[in-house]
Amino acid sequence: MSTNISEQNRLNSNGSNIISFLFTLSQNHKNRYKSLERDLERCVGTLTSISTPADPNEIGKLKLKFFDQNDTGYWAEEVSEGVLYFLAVLCIIHQPDPPKLLLLEEPEKGIHPRRIKEVMEFIFELAELRDIQIIITSHSPYVVDHFTDTPENISVFDRENGETVIRNALYDIIEPANARNAEKNLPPIHYTDALGEHWVSGFLGGVPL
């Protein structure tokens, strides 16, 4: 994984220019680059800094390298897919002119389940600071649990009669279900106490066909 030296102020949607982008950020926006490193350490923990040194095997090209607390270096191909994915997210958020809308596909990918809530909270904290709206697609109950206090922010996609149907978790699913319970003199079910589990069980929909 190496690239030619070039100035890149914006990360490509597929992250293909991430090495050139980080090199540009480190040279022209040092404070943003330092903030990105701090944020990476805060969520990854074991990795504390990154650099874009010369490729030892190809003249004129750069590679991506990570360092831990002991200053031990790891090339990009030696770290997990989750680390690379999260670094790409940080690059988008910390770029000089960040987008107003950020689409994240399965942000839980490569992240230990115990850290998903922490990472999700961190991503949203950064997005709020940079005034970025986030749309997430996910198949993880841990990600769904992140919206326990705001189930109205969840849209559930189902395939019905060959068409995609979108329902709001709170207004189209949870509240109507409890209204039906009330008509039958049954107590309301506190679905948000285990939102992810109720999604896995099929109550919220979005189950595989």
Side-chain angles (χ1 to χ4, degrees), residues 21-180:
F21 170 80
L22 286 167
F23 174 78
T24 302
L25 197 70
S26 68
Q27 299 302 305
N28 300 330
H29 305 277
K30 292 186 180 297
N31 288 336
R32 287 187 185 275
Y33 187 79
K34 290 177 182 177
S35 294
L36 186 152
E37 286 188 313
R38 287 195 297 269
D39 292 339
L40 181 69
E41 180 182 8
R42 177 176 167 186
C43 273
V44 177
T46 55
L47 301 174
T48 59
S49 63
I50 50 179
S51 69
T52 52
D55 188 329
N57 299 314
E58 293 194 59
I59 297 175
K61 290 193 174 184
L62 303 175
K63 293 195 71 172
L64 176 59
K65 199 168 191 178
F66 297 80
F67 295 87
D68 62 17
Q69 303 97 321
N70 299 317
D71 208 31
T72 302
Y74 306 90
W75 295 113
E77 53 266 29
E78 297 178 296
V79 302
S80 70
E81 183 180 356
V83 169
L84 294 175
Y85 180 90
F86 191 65
L87 175 61
V89 172
L90 289 178
C91 286
I92 293 172
I93 293 174
H94 284 285
Q95 62 190 18
D97 184 24
K100 292 301 180 183
L101 179 64
L102 177 59
L103 307 179
L104 297 180
E105 182 178 2
E106 299 184 348
E108 70 274 10
K109 183 170 52 179
I111 298 175
H112 193 285
R114 290 186 178 182
R115 303 208 68 184
I116 288 177
K117 186 175 186 296
E118 174 186 346
V119 171
M120 287 288 295
E121 289 177 350
F122 181 62
I123 290 174
F124 276 85
E125 176 187 326
L126 284 176
E128 184 175 353
L129 290 174
R130 301 302 296 276
D131 190 27
I132 300 173
Q133 181 182 1
I134 295 180
I135 297 177
I136 290 174
T137 62
S138 177
H139 294 91
S140 168
Y142 301 104
V143 172
V144 173
D145 279 336
H146 180 75
F147 296 90
T148 293
D149 296 328
T150 56
E152 66 274 11
N153 288 334
I154 296 178
S155 295
V156 181
F157 289 68
D158 281 299
R159 194 73 174 170
E160 297 179 2
N161 300 319
E163 298 181 349
T164 299
V165 178
I166 305 174
R167 295 184 176 89
N168 182 274
L170 178 63
Y171 304 120
D172 297 327
I173 301 174
I174 295 175
E175 288 186 346
N178 277 329
R180 291 191 292 271

Side-chain angles (χ1 to χ4, degrees), residues 172-205:
D172 297 327
I173 301 174
I174 295 175
E175 288 186 346
N178 277 329
R180 291 191 292 271
N181 283 347
E183 291 174 357
K184 299 175 183 178
N185 293 321
L186 297 174
I189 299 175
H190 300 289
Y191 293 104
T192 54
D193 288 348
L195 199 60
E197 289 183 16
H198 282 102
W199 171 69
V200 171
S201 70
F203 169 76
L204 292 180

